[in-house]
Amino acid sequence: MSSTPATATTPDVTGPAAHRAVRYAKFTIGYNVVEGVIAISAGAVAGAVSLIGFGVDSGIEVAAAVVVLVRLLAEIKGGEPDEAKERRALKFIAITFFALAAYVTVEGIRDLVSGEKPDTSIVGVALTGLSIVIMPWLARAKRKAGLEMNSRLVVADAAETKLCAWLSVSTFAGLLAFAVFGWTWIDPVAGFVIAAFAIMEGKEAWEGELVCDDGCDDDKPTTATGSASCSDGCK
């Protein structure tokens, strides 16, 4: 199987790659649910803004993964995905990402000004360390499946998972640095990094990247506004 997408714009939802993509989406949902619950609980106990933000981000990623899974299952069953509903869902997800960015930014500034000191979270270090291993593997697996089945949807989802991997790295580094060196400012700074990731992910969700899929071609001429036009109305 070629590692590059076929020239056709319609995804192949009949082969094994499509079924692998469904399994990866389900795994993403299950893992992020567990990760989010543990991270928020551990962050609340330790008073760690970055860990709470990391957990909330996991919950938002669950919502995005559900949108992807519903779309995939609809395509596999031969139905037409409801793009209007998907776009409304992604708009809501985008707003949630922006709210997360605002929360961790405000809390981070407050902690920097007040000098509030969080507790060391061994659970947080272990959890984010595990995600550093799992998320890059999951992103590569999703991308491989997406390229094999010629699905922009799955490839875009893989890019989202890759962002989650970098988020795991930044949170892990912040938690570990505080545990080792006792730097009180590192937790708010890690929170600011989470805010930056949340804004990037929110922007992609707002623009509907995950549903601007089969009708879009990278090599199509751009419109007067400078964006590529798509047959399904995506921009």
Side-chain angles (χ1 to χ4, degrees):
M1 182 76 68
S2 173
S3 61
T4 57
T7 56
T9 58
T10 302
D12 175 14
V13 294
T14 62
H19 295 283
R20 292 205 314 272
V22 168
R23 291 196 297 270
Y24 295 147
K26 290 179 178 178
F27 177 81
T28 299
I29 293 169
Y31 181 83
N32 276 292
V33 166
V34 175
E35 180 184 70
V37 170
I38 295 175
I40 292 174
S41 300
V45 170
V49 172
S50 62
L51 191 53
I52 293 174
F54 179 78
V56 173
D57 180 83
S58 297
I60 302 172
E61 291 295 340
V62 169
V66 168
V67 173
V68 173
L69 179 60
V70 169
R71 171 86 177 243
L72 276 174
L73 291 176
E75 290 178 344
I76 289 174
K77 293 177 181 178
E80 289 294 328
D82 191 333
E83 292 194 357
K85 287 184 178 180
E86 290 176 351
R87 288 181 180 282
R88 286 195 294 270
L90 286 175
K91 294 284 187 184
F92 173 76
I93 290 169
I95 291 172
T96 311
F97 270 124
F98 297 144
L100 169 62
Y103 165 75
V104 295
T105 299
V106 170
E107 286 296 304
I109 293 173
R110 182 183 65 82
D111 288 351
L112 282 174
V113 172
S114 65
E116 185 171 338
K117 181 180 178 181
D119 295 325
T120 299
S121 178
I122 301 302
V123 172
V125 172
L127 178 67
T128 52
L130 179 63
S131 292
I132 289 175
V133 176
I134 291 178
M135 287 301 168
W137 163 79
L138 185 59
R140 288 193 299 270
K142 284 182 178 181
R143 178 172 174 78
K144 184 173 185 291
L147 291 174
E148 287 181 8
M149 62 185 290
N150 189 32
S151 172
R152 293 176 183 271
L153 173 71
V154 179
V155 172
D157 186 39
E160 289 290 313
T161 302
K162 187 176 181 179
L163 277 178
C164 291
W166 283 111
L167 186 60
S168 301
V169 171
S170 67
T171 309
F172 173 81
L175 292 172
L176 186 63
F178 174 74
V180 174
F181 302 109
W183 295 337
T184 57
W185 52 267
I186 197 69
D187 180 60
V189 169
F192 298 151
V193 174
I194 289 176
F197 275 108
I199 290 171
M200 285 190 295
E201 292 178 328
K203 183 175 180 292
E204 290 176 358
W206 185 268
E207 293 173 351
E209 180 173 320
L210 287 179
V211 297
C212 187
D213 183 17
D214 310 335
C216 304
D217 284 330
D218 293 335
D219 56 356
K220 283 189 177 181
T222 58
T223 63
T225 61
S227 59
S229 62
C230 310
S231 59
D232 61 357
C234 301
K235 296 294 183 183

